[in-house]
């Protein structure tokens, strides 16, 4: 289950059935919270607070309706960033001739991202450091958020390489 699905389920579960909002509206609100957190991460890294979210226009009660803690929000951001980059990697490797070339592209692109100059560097470095910290606290959730989307990108290429006798 993705962070968006988990946050919507949490929001719906916390409301009385007569007050249940549509899932689409709940997903949109969760998206607004994660987008605000991404902006804060780019500016402050892990030093942002829930009060900073309030300054971004997110009511504290709304935040807690969707996320149990700041760490849960951090996991959602990590999942969001990793999934976004995996989609970009898949698109970038679409025309590469074989699974080994695609696998190499995915791995090299991941490391290149940490060295590139640009706005997303702070977010990328934050994701790496936060992932290590959260791995100790939430091993299952961190695996889903940070590792699974990337593994889902790599494993088919590894399997295709083995099947083709290239690995």
């Amino acid at each position: 289950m993705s962070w968006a699905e988990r946050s919507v389920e949490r929001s719906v579960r916390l409301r009385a059935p007569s007050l249940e909002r549509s899932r689409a509206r709940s997903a949109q609100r969760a998206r607004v919270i994660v987008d605000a957190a991404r902006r804060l991460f780019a500016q402050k890294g892990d030093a942002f607070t829930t009060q900073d979210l309030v300054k971004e226009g997110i009511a504290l009660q709304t935040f807690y309706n969707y996320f149990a803690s700041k760490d849960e929000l951090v996991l959602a951001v990590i999942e969001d960033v990793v999934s976004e980059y995996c989609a970009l990697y898949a698109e970038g490797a679409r025309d590469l001739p074989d699974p080994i070339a695609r696998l190499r592209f995915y791995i090299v692109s991941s490391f290149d991202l940490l060295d590139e100059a640009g706005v997303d560097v702070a977010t990328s470095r934050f994701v790496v450091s936060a992932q290590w910290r959260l791995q100790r606290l939430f091993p299952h959730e961190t695996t889903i958020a940070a590792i699974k989307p990337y593994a889902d990108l790599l494993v088919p290429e590894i399997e295709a390489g083995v099947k083709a006798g290239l690995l």
Side-chain angles (χ1 to χ4, degrees):
M1 185 181 299
S2 73
W3 70 261
E5 293 164 331
R6 290 188 307 272
S7 64
V8 168
E9 287 303 315
R10 177 180 170 75
S11 172
V12 169
R13 197 173 50 247
L14 291 175
R15 300 183 191 289
S18 62
L19 299 176
E20 187 174 318
R21 293 186 177 144
S22 73
R23 291 188 179 280
R25 185 170 178 192
S26 291
Q28 182 181 21
R29 284 186 177 222
R31 169 89 273 161
V32 167
I33 295 168
V34 170
D35 288 345
R38 285 185 71 165
R39 284 190 302 275
L40 289 168
F41 292 144
Q43 296 168 7
K44 299 183 174 195
D46 200 21
F48 91 97
T49 66
T50 54
Q51 288 306 310
D52 291 324
L53 281 172
V54 170
K55 291 175 188 171
E56 288 282 317
I58 308 298
L60 209 49
Q61 182 178 357
T62 301
F63 167 73
Y64 284 112
N65 282 340
Y66 291 89
F67 298 96
S69 66
K70 178 184 160 190
D71 284 339
E72 192 174 290
L73 176 59
V74 171
L75 286 170
V77 170
I78 290 171
E79 182 179 348
D80 201 47
V81 170
V82 170
S83 294
E84 184 178 291
Y85 278 104
C86 285
L88 291 172
Y89 297 158
E91 179 62 27
R94 186 174 39 118
D95 295 329
L96 293 177
D98 62 68
I100 302 305
R102 288 186 296 273
L103 192 59
R104 183 181 192 295
F105 177 81
Y106 299 150
I107 294 168
V108 169
S109 295
S110 299
F111 287 102
D112 285 347
L113 183 64
L114 297 174
D115 289 332
E116 288 179 14
V119 177
D120 269 339
V121 171
T123 301
S124 299
R125 290 184 177 159
F126 164 77
V127 165
V128 172
S129 65
Q131 176 189 350
W132 286 108
R133 180 181 66 80
L134 293 172
Q135 182 69 40
R136 291 187 303 274
L137 299 171
F138 308 101
H140 177 72
E141 293 85 349
T142 305
T143 299
I144 291 169
I147 299 168
K148 189 174 182 326
Y150 194 61
D152 289 347
L153 188 67
L154 299 179
V155 168
E157 302 301 344
I158 293 168
E159 290 171 346
V162 168
K163 187 176 180 179
L166 301 170
L167 288 174

mmCIF file of all heavy atoms in Angstrom, residues 80-129:
data_model
loop_
_atom_site.group_PDB
_atom_site.id
_atom_site.type_symbol
_atom_site.label_atom_id
_atom_site.label_comp_id
_atom_site.label_asym_id
_atom_site.label_seq_id
_atom_site.Cartn_x
_atom_site.Cartn_y
_atom_site.Cartn_z
ATOM 1 N N ASP A 80 7.587 8.968 -2.037
ATOM 2 C CA ASP A 80 7.202 9.828 -3.139
ATOM 3 C C ASP A 80 8.412 10.150 -4.025
ATOM 4 O O ASP A 80 8.353 10.021 -5.246
ATOM 5 C CB ASP A 80 6.592 11.120 -2.565
ATOM 6 C CG ASP A 80 5.731 11.858 -3.546
ATOM 7 O OD1 ASP A 80 4.888 11.215 -4.204
ATOM 8 O OD2 ASP A 80 5.880 13.090 -3.640
ATOM 9 N N VAL A 81 9.507 10.550 -3.411
ATOM 10 C CA VAL A 81 10.717 10.917 -4.156
ATOM 11 C C VAL A 81 11.295 9.707 -4.874
ATOM 12 O O VAL A 81 11.622 9.775 -6.065
ATOM 13 C CB VAL A 81 11.762 11.561 -3.219
ATOM 14 C CG1 VAL A 81 13.108 11.717 -3.913
ATOM 15 C CG2 VAL A 81 11.259 12.911 -2.713
ATOM 16 N N VAL A 82 11.413 8.585 -4.170
ATOM 17 C CA VAL A 82 11.993 7.387 -4.782
ATOM 18 C C VAL A 82 11.121 6.909 -5.945
ATOM 19 O O VAL A 82 11.643 6.596 -7.028
ATOM 20 C CB VAL A 82 12.197 6.269 -3.729
ATOM 21 C CG1 VAL A 82 12.567 4.949 -4.388
ATOM 22 C CG2 VAL A 82 13.267 6.687 -2.723
ATOM 23 N N SER A 83 9.816 6.893 -5.760
ATOM 24 C CA SER A 83 8.913 6.467 -6.840
ATOM 25 C C SER A 83 9.016 7.399 -8.044
ATOM 26 O O SER A 83 9.022 6.951 -9.193
ATOM 27 C CB SER A 83 7.472 6.418 -6.339
ATOM 28 O OG SER A 83 7.329 5.419 -5.369
ATOM 29 N N GLU A 84 9.110 8.695 -7.761
ATOM 30 C CA GLU A 84 9.235 9.685 -8.834
ATOM 31 C C GLU A 84 10.521 9.457 -9.633
ATOM 32 O O GLU A 84 10.503 9.454 -10.869
ATOM 33 C CB GLU A 84 9.233 11.071 -8.207
ATOM 34 C CG GLU A 84 9.271 12.221 -9.168
ATOM 35 C CD GLU A 84 9.216 13.534 -8.398
ATOM 36 O OE1 GLU A 84 8.174 13.842 -7.810
ATOM 37 O OE2 GLU A 84 10.249 14.243 -8.403
ATOM 38 N N TYR A 85 11.626 9.265 -8.932
ATOM 39 C CA TYR A 85 12.892 9.046 -9.635
ATOM 40 C C TYR A 85 12.903 7.704 -10.367
ATOM 41 O O TYR A 85 13.450 7.611 -11.469
ATOM 42 C CB TYR A 85 14.088 9.189 -8.702
ATOM 43 C CG TYR A 85 14.459 10.637 -8.517
ATOM 44 C CD1 TYR A 85 14.142 11.304 -7.355
ATOM 45 C CD2 TYR A 85 15.088 11.340 -9.536
ATOM 46 C CE1 TYR A 85 14.442 12.644 -7.199
ATOM 47 C CE2 TYR A 85 15.395 12.685 -9.394
ATOM 48 C CZ TYR A 85 15.069 13.334 -8.219
ATOM 49 O OH TYR A 85 15.363 14.657 -8.077
ATOM 50 N N CYS A 86 12.309 6.694 -9.793
ATOM 51 C CA CYS A 86 12.245 5.399 -10.479
ATOM 52 C C CYS A 86 11.473 5.525 -11.789
ATOM 53 O O CYS A 86 11.864 4.936 -12.801
ATOM 54 C CB CYS A 86 11.624 4.339 -9.571
ATOM 55 S SG CYS A 86 12.750 3.785 -8.269
ATOM 56 N N ALA A 87 10.407 6.300 -11.789
ATOM 57 C CA ALA A 87 9.646 6.520 -13.020
ATOM 58 C C ALA A 87 10.507 7.257 -14.055
ATOM 59 O O ALA A 87 10.481 6.919 -15.250
ATOM 60 C CB ALA A 87 8.375 7.303 -12.733
ATOM 61 N N LEU A 88 11.278 8.242 -13.593
ATOM 62 C CA LEU A 88 12.177 8.965 -14.507
ATOM 63 C C LEU A 88 13.263 8.039 -15.056
ATOM 64 O O LEU A 88 13.598 8.101 -16.248
ATOM 65 C CB LEU A 88 12.824 10.154 -13.794
ATOM 66 C CG LEU A 88 11.900 11.307 -13.447
ATOM 67 C CD1 LEU A 88 12.627 12.330 -12.574
ATOM 68 C CD2 LEU A 88 11.362 11.969 -14.710
ATOM 69 N N TYR A 89 13.817 7.192 -14.194
ATOM 70 C CA TYR A 89 14.846 6.246 -14.639
ATOM 71 C C TYR A 89 14.268 5.284 -15.685
ATOM 72 O O TYR A 89 14.911 5.007 -16.700
ATOM 73 C CB TYR A 89 15.410 5.433 -13.484
ATOM 74 C CG TYR A 89 16.131 6.230 -12.425
ATOM 75 C CD1 TYR A 89 16.285 5.712 -11.148
ATOM 76 C CD2 TYR A 89 16.661 7.487 -12.672
ATOM 77 C CE1 TYR A 89 16.944 6.422 -10.152
ATOM 78 C CE2 TYR A 89 17.316 8.205 -11.689
ATOM 79 C CZ TYR A 89 17.456 7.670 -10.427
ATOM 80 O OH TYR A 89 18.100 8.378 -9.442
ATOM 81 N N ALA A 90 13.077 4.762 -15.407
ATOM 82 C CA ALA A 90 12.451 3.828 -16.348
ATOM 83 C C ALA A 90 12.230 4.495 -17.700
ATOM 84 O O ALA A 90 12.495 3.891 -18.754
ATOM 85 C CB ALA A 90 11.131 3.314 -15.778
ATOM 86 N N GLU A 91 11.781 5.727 -17.688
ATOM 87 C CA GLU A 91 11.575 6.465 -18.938
ATOM 88 C C GLU A 91 12.912 6.702 -19.646
ATOM 89 O O GLU A 91 13.015 6.530 -20.854
ATOM 90 C CB GLU A 91 10.868 7.792 -18.661
ATOM 91 C CG GLU A 91 10.623 8.636 -19.889
ATOM 92 C CD GLU A 91 9.714 7.988 -20.921
ATOM 93 O OE1 GLU A 91 8.867 7.163 -20.553
ATOM 94 O OE2 GLU A 91 9.883 8.298 -22.116
ATOM 95 N N GLY A 92 13.940 7.065 -18.888
ATOM 96 C CA GLY A 92 15.253 7.319 -19.476
ATOM 97 C C GLY A 92 15.897 6.087 -20.073
ATOM 98 O O GLY A 92 16.696 6.183 -21.005
ATOM 99 N N ALA A 93 15.567 4.925 -19.538
ATOM 100 C CA ALA A 93 16.176 3.676 -20.013
ATOM 101 C C ALA A 93 15.310 2.939 -21.027
ATOM 102 O O ALA A 93 15.704 1.883 -21.523
ATOM 103 C CB ALA A 93 16.442 2.755 -18.819
ATOM 104 N N ARG A 94 14.176 3.506 -21.343
ATOM 105 C CA ARG A 94 13.202 2.832 -22.206
ATOM 106 C C ARG A 94 13.798 2.351 -23.519
ATOM 107 O O ARG A 94 13.490 1.251 -23.985
ATOM 108 C CB ARG A 94 12.029 3.775 -22.470
ATOM 109 C CG ARG A 94 10.887 3.185 -23.233
ATOM 110 C CD ARG A 94 9.727 4.148 -23.312
ATOM 111 N NE ARG A 94 10.211 5.505 -23.512
ATOM 112 C CZ ARG A 94 9.944 6.248 -24.577
ATOM 113 N NH1 ARG A 94 9.168 5.786 -25.518
ATOM 114 N NH2 ARG A 94 10.430 7.460 -24.700
ATOM 115 N N ASP A 95 14.669 3.138 -24.132
ATOM 116 C CA ASP A 95 15.202 2.784 -25.444
ATOM 117 C C ASP A 95 16.554 2.081 -25.395
ATOM 118 O O ASP A 95 17.158 1.836 -26.442
ATOM 119 C CB ASP A 95 15.306 4.039 -26.316
ATOM 120 C CG ASP A 95 13.936 4.638 -26.621
ATOM 121 O OD1 ASP A 95 12.948 3.872 -26.698
ATOM 122 O OD2 ASP A 95 13.848 5.872 -26.768
ATOM 123 N N LEU A 96 17.049 1.764 -24.205
ATOM 124 C CA LEU A 96 18.329 1.058 -24.110
ATOM 125 C C LEU A 96 18.149 -0.374 -24.602
ATOM 126 O O LEU A 96 17.103 -0.992 -24.396
ATOM 127 C CB LEU A 96 18.861 1.106 -22.683
ATOM 128 C CG LEU A 96 19.266 2.514 -22.207
ATOM 129 C CD1 LEU A 96 19.705 2.496 -20.750
ATOM 130 C CD2 LEU A 96 20.367 3.086 -23.089
ATOM 131 N N PRO A 97 19.187 -0.936 -25.232
ATOM 132 C CA PRO A 97 19.028 -2.171 -25.991
ATOM 133 C C PRO A 97 18.852 -3.465 -25.192
ATOM 134 O O PRO A 97 18.306 -4.426 -25.713
ATOM 135 C CB PRO A 97 20.306 -2.239 -26.827
ATOM 136 C CG PRO A 97 21.307 -1.481 -26.018
ATOM 137 C CD PRO A 97 20.525 -0.381 -25.351
ATOM 138 N N ASP A 98 19.343 -3.514 -23.955
ATOM 139 C CA ASP A 98 19.271 -4.785 -23.240
ATOM 140 C C ASP A 98 19.161 -4.545 -21.731
ATOM 141 O O ASP A 98 19.368 -3.435 -21.259
ATOM 142 C CB ASP A 98 20.479 -5.665 -23.576
ATOM 143 C CG ASP A 98 21.792 -5.035 -23.151
ATOM 144 O OD1 ASP A 98 22.022 -4.910 -21.930
ATOM 145 O OD2 ASP A 98 22.588 -4.664 -24.037
ATOM 146 N N PRO A 99 18.845 -5.611 -20.992
ATOM 147 C CA PRO A 99 18.651 -5.448 -19.549
ATOM 148 C C PRO A 99 19.902 -4.995 -18.801
ATOM 149 O O PRO A 99 19.801 -4.269 -17.814
ATOM 150 C CB PRO A 99 18.199 -6.827 -19.068
ATOM 151 C CG PRO A 99 18.430 -7.769 -20.176
ATOM 152 C CD PRO A 99 18.556 -6.969 -21.428
ATOM 153 N N ILE A 100 21.070 -5.369 -19.265
ATOM 154 C CA ILE A 100 22.312 -4.960 -18.596
ATOM 155 C C ILE A 100 22.510 -3.454 -18.765
ATOM 156 O O ILE A 100 22.888 -2.760 -17.814
ATOM 157 C CB ILE A 100 23.524 -5.750 -19.137
ATOM 158 C CG1 ILE A 100 23.313 -7.253 -18.941
ATOM 159 C CG2 ILE A 100 24.814 -5.272 -18.469
ATOM 160 C CD1 ILE A 100 23.029 -7.671 -17.522
ATOM 161 N N ALA A 101 22.255 -2.939 -19.948
ATOM 162 C CA ALA A 101 22.379 -1.496 -20.182
ATOM 163 C C ALA A 101 21.383 -0.729 -19.322
ATOM 164 O O ALA A 101 21.718 0.311 -18.746
ATOM 165 C CB ALA A 101 22.169 -1.176 -21.662
ATOM 166 N N ARG A 102 20.150 -1.244 -19.218
ATOM 167 C CA ARG A 102 19.137 -0.583 -18.381
ATOM 168 C C ARG A 102 19.527 -0.659 -16.907
ATOM 169 O O ARG A 102 19.429 0.332 -16.181
ATOM 170 C CB ARG A 102 17.756 -1.200 -18.628
ATOM 171 C CG ARG A 102 17.181 -0.827 -19.988
ATOM 172 C CD ARG A 102 15.759 -1.306 -20.186
ATOM 173 N NE ARG A 102 15.643 -2.749 -20.175
ATOM 174 C CZ ARG A 102 15.807 -3.531 -21.256
ATOM 175 N NH1 ARG A 102 16.092 -2.998 -22.430
ATOM 176 N NH2 ARG A 102 15.672 -4.839 -21.146
ATOM 177 N N LEU A 103 19.996 -1.804 -16.466
ATOM 178 C CA LEU A 103 20.423 -1.981 -15.076
ATOM 179 C C LEU A 103 21.563 -1.019 -14.745
ATOM 180 O O LEU A 103 21.535 -0.339 -13.707
ATOM 181 C CB LEU A 103 20.858 -3.434 -14.866
ATOM 182 C CG LEU A 103 21.086 -3.923 -13.458
ATOM 183 C CD1 LEU A 103 19.827 -3.783 -12.619
ATOM 184 C CD2 LEU A 103 21.532 -5.381 -13.482
ATOM 185 N N ARG A 104 22.523 -0.947 -15.620
ATOM 186 C CA ARG A 104 23.642 -0.021 -15.416
ATOM 187 C C ARG A 104 23.135 1.421 -15.345
ATOM 188 O O ARG A 104 23.542 2.193 -14.487
ATOM 189 C CB ARG A 104 24.664 -0.168 -16.540
ATOM 190 C CG ARG A 104 25.890 0.703 -16.353
ATOM 191 C CD ARG A 104 26.870 0.535 -17.522
ATOM 192 N NE ARG A 104 28.154 1.110 -17.284
ATOM 193 C CZ ARG A 104 28.419 2.393 -17.115
ATOM 194 N NH1 ARG A 104 27.446 3.267 -17.119
ATOM 195 N NH2 ARG A 104 29.647 2.822 -16.920
ATOM 196 N N PHE A 105 22.229 1.779 -16.249
ATOM 197 C CA PHE A 105 21.671 3.127 -16.269
ATOM 198 C C PHE A 105 20.987 3.443 -14.942
ATOM 199 O O PHE A 105 21.180 4.524 -14.381
ATOM 200 C CB PHE A 105 20.673 3.262 -17.429
ATOM 201 C CG PHE A 105 19.994 4.593 -17.478
ATOM 202 C CD1 PHE A 105 20.626 5.696 -18.043
ATOM 203 C CD2 PHE A 105 18.720 4.756 -16.957
ATOM 204 C CE1 PHE A 105 19.996 6.936 -18.082
ATOM 205 C CE2 PHE A 105 18.082 5.992 -16.990
ATOM 206 C CZ PHE A 105 18.725 7.084 -17.563
ATOM 207 N N TYR A 106 20.181 2.514 -14.430
ATOM 208 C CA TYR A 106 19.471 2.752 -13.164
ATOM 209 C C TYR A 106 20.446 2.976 -12.010
ATOM 210 O O TYR A 106 20.272 3.887 -11.202
ATOM 211 C CB TYR A 106 18.559 1.573 -12.810
ATOM 212 C CG TYR A 106 17.467 1.285 -13.811
ATOM 213 C CD1 TYR A 106 17.005 -0.007 -13.980
ATOM 214 C CD2 TYR A 106 16.894 2.294 -14.574
ATOM 215 C CE1 TYR A 106 15.996 -0.284 -14.893
ATOM 216 C CE2 TYR A 106 15.890 2.016 -15.487
ATOM 217 C CZ TYR A 106 15.435 0.725 -15.631
ATOM 218 O OH TYR A 106 14.443 0.454 -16.527
ATOM 219 N N ILE A 107 21.455 2.152 -11.938
ATOM 220 C CA ILE A 107 22.405 2.237 -10.820
ATOM 221 C C ILE A 107 23.266 3.493 -10.925
ATOM 222 O O ILE A 107 23.404 4.247 -9.959
ATOM 223 C CB ILE A 107 23.259 0.959 -10.743
ATOM 224 C CG1 ILE A 107 22.352 -0.232 -10.370
ATOM 225 C CG2 ILE A 107 24.395 1.125 -9.737
ATOM 226 C CD1 ILE A 107 22.983 -1.581 -10.532
ATOM 227 N N VAL A 108 23.817 3.746 -12.086
ATOM 228 C CA VAL A 108 24.674 4.923 -12.266
ATOM 229 C C VAL A 108 23.860 6.200 -12.069
ATOM 230 O O VAL A 108 24.323 7.152 -11.423
ATOM 231 C CB VAL A 108 25.362 4.888 -13.647
ATOM 232 C CG1 VAL A 108 26.032 6.208 -13.967
ATOM 233 C CG2 VAL A 108 26.362 3.745 -13.700
ATOM 234 N N SER A 109 22.645 6.235 -12.577
ATOM 235 C CA SER A 109 21.795 7.426 -12.417
ATOM 236 C C SER A 109 21.514 7.711 -10.947
ATOM 237 O O SER A 109 21.467 8.871 -10.539
ATOM 238 C CB SER A 109 20.474 7.238 -13.161
ATOM 239 O OG SER A 109 20.689 7.155 -14.541
ATOM 240 N N SER A 110 21.342 6.669 -10.167
ATOM 241 C CA SER A 110 21.077 6.847 -8.735
ATOM 242 C C SER A 110 22.243 7.529 -8.041
ATOM 243 O O SER A 110 22.050 8.430 -7.223
ATOM 244 C CB SER A 110 20.825 5.499 -8.059
ATOM 245 O OG SER A 110 19.706 4.885 -8.630
ATOM 246 N N PHE A 111 23.452 7.107 -8.360
ATOM 247 C CA PHE A 111 24.629 7.715 -7.739
ATOM 248 C C PHE A 111 24.932 9.094 -8.323
ATOM 249 O O PHE A 111 25.347 9.994 -7.600
ATOM 250 C CB PHE A 111 25.843 6.798 -7.849
ATOM 251 C CG PHE A 111 25.744 5.627 -6.924
ATOM 252 C CD1 PHE A 111 25.382 4.375 -7.397
ATOM 253 C CD2 PHE A 111 25.978 5.778 -5.564
ATOM 254 C CE1 PHE A 111 25.278 3.296 -6.534
ATOM 255 C CE2 PHE A 111 25.867 4.713 -4.694
ATOM 256 C CZ PHE A 111 25.519 3.465 -5.177
ATOM 257 N N ASP A 112 24.711 9.264 -9.612
ATOM 258 C CA ASP A 112 24.929 10.570 -10.237
ATOM 259 C C ASP A 112 24.036 11.631 -9.616
ATOM 260 O O ASP A 112 24.443 12.788 -9.469
ATOM 261 C CB ASP A 112 24.662 10.510 -11.745
ATOM 262 C CG ASP A 112 25.768 9.809 -12.510
ATOM 263 O OD1 ASP A 112 26.849 9.577 -11.925
ATOM 264 O OD2 ASP A 112 25.537 9.491 -13.692
ATOM 265 N N LEU A 113 22.844 11.256 -9.249
ATOM 266 C CA LEU A 113 21.888 12.197 -8.666
ATOM 267 C C LEU A 113 22.445 12.850 -7.408
ATOM 268 O O LEU A 113 22.219 14.029 -7.157
ATOM 269 C CB LEU A 113 20.578 11.474 -8.342
ATOM 270 C CG LEU A 113 19.453 12.323 -7.801
ATOM 271 C CD1 LEU A 113 19.014 13.347 -8.850
ATOM 272 C CD2 LEU A 113 18.288 11.449 -7.408
ATOM 273 N N LEU A 114 23.213 12.108 -6.628
ATOM 274 C CA LEU A 114 23.770 12.654 -5.393
ATOM 275 C C LEU A 114 24.886 13.660 -5.647
ATOM 276 O O LEU A 114 25.198 14.475 -4.779
ATOM 277 C CB LEU A 114 24.289 11.522 -4.504
ATOM 278 C CG LEU A 114 23.215 10.550 -4.023
ATOM 279 C CD1 LEU A 114 23.862 9.404 -3.274
ATOM 280 C CD2 LEU A 114 22.181 11.249 -3.164
ATOM 281 N N ASP A 115 25.490 13.626 -6.843
ATOM 282 C CA ASP A 115 26.581 14.536 -7.162
ATOM 283 C C ASP A 115 26.162 15.724 -8.023
ATOM 284 O O ASP A 115 26.935 16.648 -8.208
ATOM 285 C CB ASP A 115 27.692 13.779 -7.910
ATOM 286 C CG ASP A 115 28.432 12.836 -6.993
ATOM 287 O OD1 ASP A 115 28.496 13.115 -5.778
ATOM 288 O OD2 ASP A 115 28.935 11.813 -7.480
ATOM 289 N N GLU A 116 24.949 15.677 -8.562
ATOM 290 C CA GLU A 116 24.512 16.746 -9.455
ATOM 291 C C GLU A 116 24.277 18.039 -8.691
ATOM 292 O O GLU A 116 23.827 18.035 -7.554
ATOM 293 C CB GLU A 116 23.201 16.351 -10.148
ATOM 294 C CG GLU A 116 23.356 15.288 -11.190
ATOM 295 C CD GLU A 116 22.024 14.926 -11.834
ATOM 296 O OE1 GLU A 116 21.051 15.672 -11.671
ATOM 297 O OE2 GLU A 116 21.985 13.890 -12.501
ATOM 298 N N ALA A 117 24.558 19.136 -9.348
ATOM 299 C CA ALA A 117 24.223 20.441 -8.780
ATOM 300 C C ALA A 117 22.785 20.750 -9.193
ATOM 301 O O ALA A 117 22.372 20.472 -10.298
ATOM 302 C CB ALA A 117 25.163 21.506 -9.312
ATOM 303 N N GLY A 118 22.017 21.288 -8.280
ATOM 304 C CA GLY A 118 20.643 21.648 -8.596
ATOM 305 C C GLY A 118 19.759 21.643 -7.372
ATOM 306 O O GLY A 118 20.194 21.310 -6.271
ATOM 307 N N VAL A 119 18.527 22.000 -7.571
ATOM 308 C CA VAL A 119 17.570 22.161 -6.478
ATOM 309 C C VAL A 119 17.289 20.845 -5.765
ATOM 310 O O VAL A 119 17.169 20.814 -4.549
ATOM 311 C CB VAL A 119 16.248 22.752 -7.038
ATOM 312 C CG1 VAL A 119 15.209 22.871 -5.946
ATOM 313 C CG2 VAL A 119 16.506 24.104 -7.676
ATOM 314 N N ASP A 120 17.223 19.746 -6.493
ATOM 315 C CA ASP A 120 16.843 18.477 -5.885
ATOM 316 C C ASP A 120 17.957 17.792 -5.102
ATOM 317 O O ASP A 120 17.733 16.776 -4.474
ATOM 318 C CB ASP A 120 16.317 17.508 -6.944
ATOM 319 C CG ASP A 120 14.816 17.611 -7.119
ATOM 320 O OD1 ASP A 120 14.136 18.104 -6.212
ATOM 321 O OD2 ASP A 120 14.344 17.176 -8.162
ATOM 322 N N VAL A 121 19.159 18.319 -5.135
ATOM 323 C CA VAL A 121 20.274 17.694 -4.428
ATOM 324 C C VAL A 121 19.985 17.627 -2.932
ATOM 325 O O VAL A 121 20.188 16.597 -2.297
ATOM 326 C CB VAL A 121 21.601 18.426 -4.706
ATOM 327 C CG1 VAL A 121 22.700 17.917 -3.804
ATOM 328 C CG2 VAL A 121 21.976 18.246 -6.154
ATOM 329 N N ALA A 122 19.480 18.697 -2.355
ATOM 330 C CA ALA A 122 19.172 18.705 -0.924
ATOM 331 C C ALA A 122 18.144 17.633 -0.597
ATOM 332 O O ALA A 122 18.286 16.900 0.385
ATOM 333 C CB ALA A 122 18.672 20.081 -0.491
ATOM 334 N N THR A 123 17.126 17.512 -1.423
ATOM 335 C CA THR A 123 16.101 16.495 -1.190
ATOM 336 C C THR A 123 16.689 15.101 -1.330
ATOM 337 O O THR A 123 16.415 14.223 -0.513
ATOM 338 C CB THR A 123 14.923 16.680 -2.160
ATOM 339 O OG1 THR A 123 14.374 17.989 -1.975
ATOM 340 C CG2 THR A 123 13.839 15.646 -1.919
ATOM 341 N N SER A 124 17.521 14.883 -2.348
ATOM 342 C CA SER A 124 18.123 13.563 -2.559
ATOM 343 C C SER A 124 18.998 13.164 -1.384
ATOM 344 O O SER A 124 18.928 12.041 -0.890
ATOM 345 C CB SER A 124 18.942 13.551 -3.843
ATOM 346 O OG SER A 124 18.120 13.836 -4.933
ATOM 347 N N ARG A 125 19.824 14.082 -0.937
ATOM 348 C CA ARG A 125 20.686 13.780 0.206
ATOM 349 C C ARG A 125 19.866 13.577 1.469
ATOM 350 O O ARG A 125 20.185 12.736 2.300
ATOM 351 C CB ARG A 125 21.721 14.877 0.378
ATOM 352 C CG ARG A 125 22.739 14.832 -0.743
ATOM 353 C CD ARG A 125 23.836 15.824 -0.576
ATOM 354 N NE ARG A 125 24.784 15.642 -1.677
ATOM 355 C CZ ARG A 125 25.623 16.553 -2.069
ATOM 356 N NH1 ARG A 125 25.681 17.716 -1.457
ATOM 357 N NH2 ARG A 125 26.432 16.313 -3.072
ATOM 358 N N PHE A 126 18.816 14.368 1.618
ATOM 359 C CA PHE A 126 17.932 14.191 2.765
ATOM 360 C C PHE A 126 17.315 12.794 2.755
ATOM 361 O O PHE A 126 17.256 12.126 3.781
ATOM 362 C CB PHE A 126 16.825 15.252 2.773
ATOM 363 C CG PHE A 126 15.713 14.881 3.695
ATOM 364 C CD1 PHE A 126 15.864 15.030 5.066
ATOM 365 C CD2 PHE A 126 14.541 14.346 3.217
ATOM 366 C CE1 PHE A 126 14.852 14.659 5.929
ATOM 367 C CE2 PHE A 126 13.530 13.968 4.068
ATOM 368 C CZ PHE A 126 13.692 14.127 5.432
ATOM 369 N N VAL A 127 16.853 12.346 1.600
ATOM 370 C CA VAL A 127 16.229 11.024 1.488
ATOM 371 C C VAL A 127 17.199 9.943 1.941
ATOM 372 O O VAL A 127 16.837 9.049 2.709
ATOM 373 C CB VAL A 127 15.738 10.764 0.044
ATOM 374 C CG1 VAL A 127 15.421 9.292 -0.188
ATOM 375 C CG2 VAL A 127 14.517 11.621 -0.253
ATOM 376 N N VAL A 128 18.438 10.032 1.504
ATOM 377 C CA VAL A 128 19.434 9.016 1.874
ATOM 378 C C VAL A 128 19.669 9.017 3.378
ATOM 379 O O VAL A 128 19.629 7.973 4.029
ATOM 380 C CB VAL A 128 20.751 9.228 1.103
ATOM 381 C CG1 VAL A 128 21.843 8.320 1.625
ATOM 382 C CG2 VAL A 128 20.529 8.988 -0.387
ATOM 383 N N SER A 129 19.892 10.185 3.964
ATOM 384 C CA SER A 129 20.171 10.232 5.410
ATOM 385 C C SER A 129 18.943 9.868 6.234
ATOM 386 O O SER A 129 19.046 9.137 7.223
ATOM 387 C CB SER A 129 20.713 11.600 5.816
ATOM 388 O OG SER A 129 19.741 12.596 5.628
#
